[in-house]
């Protein structure tokens, strides 16, 4: 089929319009959009208006996963899915996730305009809560859809103020039996997500398309260190059991253990650290910090996680403090489906787009969709590989090429 025409002005305009729906104190391109907030709901309303304008049938599940469907000529067949997320971590950029949702919509509109008629229905999905910001665990929407997380485990998650997932989703207006969110077997024939690379490779290699062959295995844990507080002036150094000094040693040990790992793909991040009571002249009595640990090899990651836990326990004894740690998630990596990979490769080749096969170091909802459908991902370059920052950027040309490759991939899978 002829290359579908992408209306990139319209698409960039929609991305920028979506970016204005934000809680970030800074103006766009900085974006903050946390799941189940008023802002999240306004963004969903905006997206729904675009789906309906494209004539798509919209379905929303019990936790807000949103499915916009272009009915195929054989609607009983498993559909072909695409999509991503629209929630954004604090002070994020405007392209992470949104390129996959609005780009998926644009791919459908371009195929419609080209007169293509899919046999299998094509759905663009907006997953609820890909980011771990509110509930500490990412991808709760695709975890529930794929069965990777049970409803019983989902409702145990609480947000920063201690409200549980079920309370928060209902307050946001989502109801219904959580078990109904699990996709029936064969619901999708294939699932392909378009996403910015969030890394430097494609730009460095001057390539338009990344065809993802595997998604790294993410694990998250949190640590609570309890020492003894006291007066900053009155407690002499030998008598101190300072929770923050002990935590600093633990955080430094995490960095050393990860760097000493034999795996070049091992990455460890302590992204959040809270000090109690947090007063200038009071010795920290309690510190809580998080760990994000990833590798493309799940066994490697688990071995380093165990090493970190042991090291943290040793430091706690040495420093005379108590430490509790819990693992929030330790997911296996996902491997892309060969047929979906070759459909994306053929699309790039037919468009004369430079491409490479590569792994995804960021996780995505596709990590879980791989459990219920043959999965693939298409990456586009982002400037300097920067992401999760306001200066995250992908050019209109890069976005248009990615959407065109996605459209041809979807057409070949749904034809
Ligand atoms: O952290 C990640 O990899 C994803 O962007 N949530
Ligand atoms: Mn992200
Ligand atoms: Mn993302
Ligand atoms: Mn322990």
């Amino acid at each position: 089929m002829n290359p579908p025409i992408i209306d990139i002005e319209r698409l960039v305009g929609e991305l920028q319009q979506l970016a204005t729906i934000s809680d970030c104190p800074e103006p766009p391109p900085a974006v903050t959009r946390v799941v189940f907030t008023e802002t999240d709901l306004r963004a969903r309303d905006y997206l729904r208006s675009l789906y309906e304008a494209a004539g798509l049938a919209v379905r929303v599940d019990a936790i807000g996963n949103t499915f916009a469907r272009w009915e195929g000529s054989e609607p009983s067949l498993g559909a072909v899915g695409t999509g991503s997320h629209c929630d954004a971590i604090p002070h994020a950029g405007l392209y992470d996730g949104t390129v996959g949702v609005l780009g998926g919509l644009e791919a459908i509109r371009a195929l419609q305009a080209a007169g293509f008629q899919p046999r299998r229905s094509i759905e663009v999905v907006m997953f609820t809560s890909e980011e771990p910001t509110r509930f500490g665990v990412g991808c709760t929407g695709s975890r529930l859809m794929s069965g990777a997380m049970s409803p019983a485990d989902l409702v145990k998650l609480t947000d920063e103020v201690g409200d549980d997932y079920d309370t928060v989703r209902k307050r946001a207006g989502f109801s219904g039996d959580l078990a109904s969110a699990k996709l029936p077997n064969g619901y999708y024939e294939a699932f392909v997500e378009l996403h910015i690379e969030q890394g430097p490779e494609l730009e460095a290699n001057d390539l338009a398309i990344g065809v993802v062959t595997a998604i790294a295995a993410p694990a998250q844990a949190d640590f609570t260190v309890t020492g003894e507080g006291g007066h900053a002036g009155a407690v002499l150094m030998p008598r101190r059991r300072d929770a923050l000094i002990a935590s600093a040693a633990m955080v430094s040990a995490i960095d050393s253990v990860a760097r000493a790992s034999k795996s070049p793909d091992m990455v460890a991040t302590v992204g959040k650290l809270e000090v109690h009571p947090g007063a200038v002249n009071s010795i920290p009595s309690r510190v809580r910090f998080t760990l994000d640990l990833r590798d493309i090899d799940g066994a490697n990651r688990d071995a380093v996680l165990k090493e970190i836990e042991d090291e943290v326990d040793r430091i706690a004894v040495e420093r005379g403090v108590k430490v509790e740690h819990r693992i929030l998630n330790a997911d296996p990596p996902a491997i892309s489906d060969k047929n979906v990979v070759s459909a994306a490769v053929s699309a790039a080749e037919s468009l004369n787009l430079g491409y490479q096969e590569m792994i995804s170091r960021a996780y995505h909802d596709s990590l879980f969709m791989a459990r219920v459908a043959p999965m693939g991902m298409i990456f586009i370059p982002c400037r300097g590989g920067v992401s999760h920052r306001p200066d995250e950027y992908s050019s209109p040309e890069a976005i248009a090429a990615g959407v065109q490759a996605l459209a041809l991939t979807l057409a070949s899978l749904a034809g």
Side-chain angles (χ1 to χ4, degrees), residues 41-323:
L41 299 179
R42 282 193 296 120
R44 291 163 183 270
D45 289 345
Y46 173 60
L47 289 168
R48 177 185 276 269
S49 69
L50 300 180
Y51 300 146
E52 289 171 350
L56 304 184
V58 181
R59 172 175 76 85
V60 181
D61 76 8
I63 59 169
N65 290 309
T66 305
F67 308 78
R69 189 181 183 94
W70 179 19
E71 193 87 317
S73 56
E74 297 180 43
S76 61
L77 294 176
V80 173
T82 187
S84 191
H85 64 99
C86 284
D87 60 323
I89 68 170
H91 297 275
L94 67 89
Y95 300 90
D96 174 7
T98 56
V99 160
V101 177
L102 289 168
L105 172 62
E106 179 58 26
I108 287 176
R109 291 184 301 207
L111 290 171
Q112 289 173 334
F116 175 75
Q117 171 52 51
R119 212 160 53 86
R120 296 175 180 282
S121 300
I122 299 179
E123 280 192 347
V124 53
V125 185
M126 191 217 74
F127 293 95
T128 270
S129 187
E130 190 268 357
E131 298 293 3
T133 311
R134 184 158 194 172
F135 295 101
V137 173
C139 299
T140 54
S142 48
R143 286 176 192 268
L144 193 65
M145 282 165 70
S146 64
M149 180 176 272
S150 67
D153 285 340
L154 183 77
V155 299
K156 285 181 198 147
L157 298 178
T158 56
D159 67 9
E160 303 275 299
V161 295
D163 288 346
D164 68 82
Y165 199 102
D166 205 31
T167 303
V168 179
R169 65 125 183 177
K170 286 174 179 164
R171 196 188 303 149
F174 300 107
S175 58
D177 173 17
L178 291 174
S180 65
K182 170 84 173 65
L183 292 179
N185 289 339
Y187 182 88
Y188 284 126
E189 173 71 8
F191 185 84
V192 197
E193 179 172 2
L194 175 66
H195 205 286
I196 58 171
E197 179 196 341
Q198 296 178 302
E201 277 185 65
L202 290 176
E203 183 184 59
N205 298 337
D206 194 21
L207 294 172
I209 297 293
V211 180
V212 171
T213 52
I215 303 174
Q220 284 185 196
D222 67 17
F223 297 79
T224 304
V225 179
T226 309
E228 187 174 0
H231 192 291
V235 181
L236 300 182
M237 296 310 276
R239 287 193 38 234
R240 291 191 177 203
R241 294 191 299 118
D242 182 325
L244 181 53
I245 301 296
S247 300
M250 292 171 185
V251 169
S252 170
I254 286 170
D255 185 64
S256 313
V257 168
R259 288 176 189 278
S261 156
K262 286 179 276 316
S263 165
D265 298 315
M266 181 68 62
V267 284
T269 310
V270 175
K272 286 174 78 173
L273 185 142
E274 291 143 9
V275 181
H276 179 82
V280 169
N281 57 352
S282 174
I283 301 166
S285 57
R286 191 180 67 246
V287 168
R288 183 172 169 271
F289 62 86
T290 61
L291 170 67
D292 177 315
L293 186 73
R294 311 183 192 197
D295 194 316
I296 196 61
D297 179 321
N300 266 354
R301 191 243 6 240
D302 290 342
V304 166
L305 186 52
K306 175 75 174 68
E307 209 182 323
I308 286 173
E309 288 185 301
D310 292 347
E311 193 52 9
V312 160
D313 286 342
R314 185 191 63 75
I315 293 169
V317 171
E318 189 183 79
R319 298 275 175 166
V321 298
K322 193 161 84 54
V323 65

Side-chain angles (χ1 to χ4, degrees), residues 93 95-96 195-207 358 361-362 364 379-395:
Y95 300 90
D96 174 7
H195 205 286
I196 58 171
E197 179 196 341
Q198 296 178 302
E201 277 185 65
L202 290 176
E203 183 184 59
N205 298 337
D206 194 21
L207 294 172
M358 60 195 295
R361 300 187 186 287
H364 305 280
F379 275 173
I380 60 172
C382 50
R383 186 177 54 200
V386 162
S387 182
H388 281 191
R389 279 179 13 193
D391 54 340
E392 174 186 278
Y393 176 77
S394 259
S395 68

